[in-house]
Amino acid sequence: MNILRNSLAVAAASTLLALTAACGSGQTAVCEEAIKAFTDYSSKAAAAAGDVKGLNTATADLAAQLKDLSGKADGDVKVALAGMADSWGSFKIDLKDPAAAAKLSEFGQKATQATQELGSACS
């Protein structure tokens, strides 16, 4: 569980760094809201240590926030946020799933790609 939580925290931290560096576009407010969403998510994920349901809820909440933000954005930022919302929204931890480790790896790749797209769009 710690590996899973740590992996999600790393993905969120990577996104935060990309957003912080990329907030130079005309959509600064949306970028700042996205940074806040990821900061809040990191806190919630840390607080949910050992609580799969809590971590899944925090992840679903982040996906909903990103989807809402995509509605406030334009162009590439909108597309990138929607992609991130889809990536985070499709991730749910199921400890009974034998393929959970592979899904975590796939999720990490999707989150990284979406982060890069958002970073490019916000710059």
Side-chain angles (χ1 to χ4, degrees):
M1 182 64 191
N2 284 336
I3 292 171
L4 194 54
R5 189 186 76 234
N6 291 342
S7 296
L8 290 173
V10 167
S14 297
T15 302
L16 265 175
L17 288 173
L19 287 172
T20 302
C23 275
S25 73
Q27 300 190 70
T28 303
V30 173
C31 289
E32 289 173 356
E33 287 184 58
I35 290 170
K36 183 180 180 330
F38 276 101
T39 301
D40 292 348
Y41 173 77
S42 294
S43 297
K44 289 177 184 177
D51 177 13
V52 174
K53 184 177 178 182
L55 195 53
N56 283 337
T57 299
T59 303
D61 289 348
L62 175 61
Q65 288 176 319
L66 294 172
K67 184 175 180 178
D68 288 345
L69 287 173
S70 73
K72 297 177 182 179
D74 296 316
D76 291 342
V77 175
K78 180 181 190 85
V79 171
L81 284 168
M84 292 179 82
D86 288 344
S87 292
W88 287 86
S90 68
F91 188 75
K92 186 172 182 178
I93 300 168
D94 181 0
L95 297 178
K96 296 176 186 174
D97 183 358
K103 288 181 181 178
L104 177 60
S105 176
E106 179 183 334
F107 170 76
Q109 291 171 351
K110 286 182 180 180
T112 299
Q113 179 182 0
T115 299
Q116 292 169 346
E117 290 171 4
L118 184 59
S120 294
C122 282
S123 58

